[in-house]
Amino acid sequence: MTTREEIVAAARSTLGTPYLHQGRVPGKAGGMDCVGLPVWVACELGLKPQGFDMPGYQRNPDGHSLMRNIRREMAAELTIEETRPGDVIVVSFDRYPHHVGIAGDYRSGGLSLIHADGRVGKVVEHRLLLSERMRFVAAFSFPGVV
């Protein structure tokens, strides 16, 4: 069984990876986008078979197909209060859900968000601060996680 700590460690191992739309390769010579991070973690840790992916989405997805794919592939859907490190978080910056990341344990308490940030141009981690600008939509556990 995979632990939440292993998921967070795998996600953190991608920090600094350049942002690349539909990228799935960690490291300075690779590239990832927000969906690519949980896809890579799931494959790397054996939570999904190698080759698992959710391709074919636009740079700014409509949100409906994103949520449909995530609900189909992930385990339980969670509220913000139920979210723990190692879960996949879905947020919205406008009316549609369109950005995902992996929850981490923030060093000063609470949750962090590990995600591929297109504005910054790389995979980053920062405290999870929800606001009018970044709204929580849902969180999901990976299947088979303890």
Side-chain angles (χ1 to χ4, degrees), residues 73-84:
E73 298 295 340
M74 300 297 284
E77 187 167 343
L78 309 167
T79 66
I80 187 63
E81 294 80 19
E82 296 169 317
T83 304
R84 301 186 327 191

Side-chain angles (χ1 to χ4, degrees), residues 58-121:
Q58 301 297 319
R59 187 171 172 93
N60 291 313
D62 65 18
H64 301 295
S65 57
L66 173 70
M67 291 302 292
R68 186 172 44 254
N69 287 335
I70 290 175
R71 284 184 174 119
R72 183 184 67 236
E73 298 295 340
M74 300 297 284
E77 187 167 343
L78 309 167
T79 66
I80 187 63
E81 294 80 19
E82 296 169 317
T83 304
R84 301 186 327 191
D87 291 331
V88 173
I89 297 176
V90 181
V91 298
S92 175
F93 297 108
D94 58 23
R95 65 183 200 200
Y96 298 116
H98 68 271
H99 190 68
V100 299
I102 295 179
D105 49 334
Y106 191 68
R107 64 182 172 271
S108 298
L111 295 174
S112 64
L113 183 65
I114 306 163
H115 63 118
D117 189 328
R119 292 178 305 131
V120 176

